[in-house]
Amino acid sequence: MKIYKYLLFLLPPLFAFNKPYTRMPKVLLPGDGKFYDFRIPSIDGDIIDFSKYKGKKVLIVNVASKCGNTPQYEKLQELNDKYGNLVTILGFPCNDFAGQEPGSAEEIKQFCKKNYGVTFQLFEKVSVKGKNKHPLYQWLTDKNKNGWNTEEPGWNFGKYLINEKGELIKYYSAGMNPLSKEIVDDIHKK
């Protein structure tokens, strides 16, 4: 009788392994420090696998809708329109600086589309500093992970440039115009 109780105790865990895995992790952390290992939810909730950006430069920007730098959305969209064959722009809404991105995902999408015609990829709202810093921003700001950089965004619209090999190559301050000669030249460098 005791053996049956023991077997009944083991059966539920055995059957649990046969259940299909239905929940995808929100973020896949780069185990070996590679940019292309990230998988992050878009603003629409779709998981974006960063391996799709291999062979192209990527400009990562923490964005906000109620900031003095918000008009940079227009410049980012123009950069996307002019040089989208060379660089992919990824926008990460962030509410870390003076609460300047309080909106929901839907509100952010509508604001960006209506006011700036944004078509580049936006992601779920993240934290770019502090104890809740998103794993991508941990990678971007930890020299042990990215190879050299420790600088966090100082404000909304800080920019990080990743090269075609998935290496972080540059940080630009929040005030840097996305269409500046420096950024455009860096995008064109081989």
Side-chain angles (χ1 to χ4, degrees):
M1 184 72 137
K2 286 184 182 181
I3 196 160
Y4 292 117
K5 286 182 182 177
Y6 179 72
L7 287 175
L8 289 174
F9 175 74
L10 286 176
L11 286 176
L14 289 174
F15 287 113
F17 290 113
N18 292 327
K19 291 182 180 176
Y21 186 71
T22 57
R23 186 168 173 261
M24 190 175 283
K26 287 191 103 180
V27 178
L28 177 64
L29 302 176
D32 57 1
K34 298 214 185 298
F35 175 75
Y36 297 127
D37 291 339
F38 278 104
R39 292 172 36 160
I40 302 175
S42 73
I43 200 161
D44 296 313
D46 301 322
I47 301 296
I48 305 295
D49 186 335
F50 279 32
S51 66
K52 74 186 252 175
Y53 303 125
K54 285 181 179 177
K56 204 169 192 184
K57 287 191 172 89
V58 175
L59 187 67
I60 296 172
V61 187
N62 63 299
V63 296
S65 301
K66 299 182 182 297
C67 175
N69 290 331
T70 299
Q72 285 190 33
Y73 268 125
E74 182 177 354
K75 302 297 184 191
L76 288 166
Q77 184 59 45
E78 192 174 336
L79 186 71
N80 183 67
D81 293 343
K82 284 184 177 179
Y83 304 109
N85 60 323
L86 300 174
V87 67
T88 298
I89 299 167
L90 307 180
F92 287 84
C94 165
N95 199 37
D96 290 347
F97 303 102
Q100 294 181 345
E101 187 51 89
S104 68
E106 192 57 38
E107 290 168 333
I108 294 167
K109 282 189 329 187
Q110 293 305 318
F111 173 86
C112 291
K113 186 72 171 163
K114 177 182 174 190
N115 295 294
Y116 298 102
V118 168
T119 60
F120 57 84
Q121 184 65 63
L122 294 173
F123 287 82
E124 68 178 1
K125 195 186 309 188
V126 300
S127 186
V128 301
K129 64 178 189 159
K131 65 178 181 151
N132 295 321
K133 186 189 295 185
H134 189 276
L136 174 63
Y137 277 85
Q138 291 174 22
W139 185 86
L140 290 168
T141 60
D142 182 341
K143 69 180 179 181
N144 295 318
K145 295 179 181 183
N146 65 50
W148 65 274
N149 183 59
T150 59
E151 191 154 0
E152 292 183 335
W155 201 253
N156 299 309
F157 291 86
K159 302 158 195 72
Y160 296 87
L161 186 62
I162 310 295
N163 71 11
E164 295 88 345
K165 298 175 187 171
E167 302 163 332
L168 177 63
I169 58 171
K170 199 83 173 251
Y171 170 75
Y172 310 97
S173 69
M176 173 82 67
N177 181 333
L179 290 170
S180 69
K181 182 177 183 339
E182 182 178 353
I183 291 178
V184 171
D185 286 350
D186 287 344
I187 287 169
H188 281 89
K189 280 182 189 170
K190 294 286 177 197

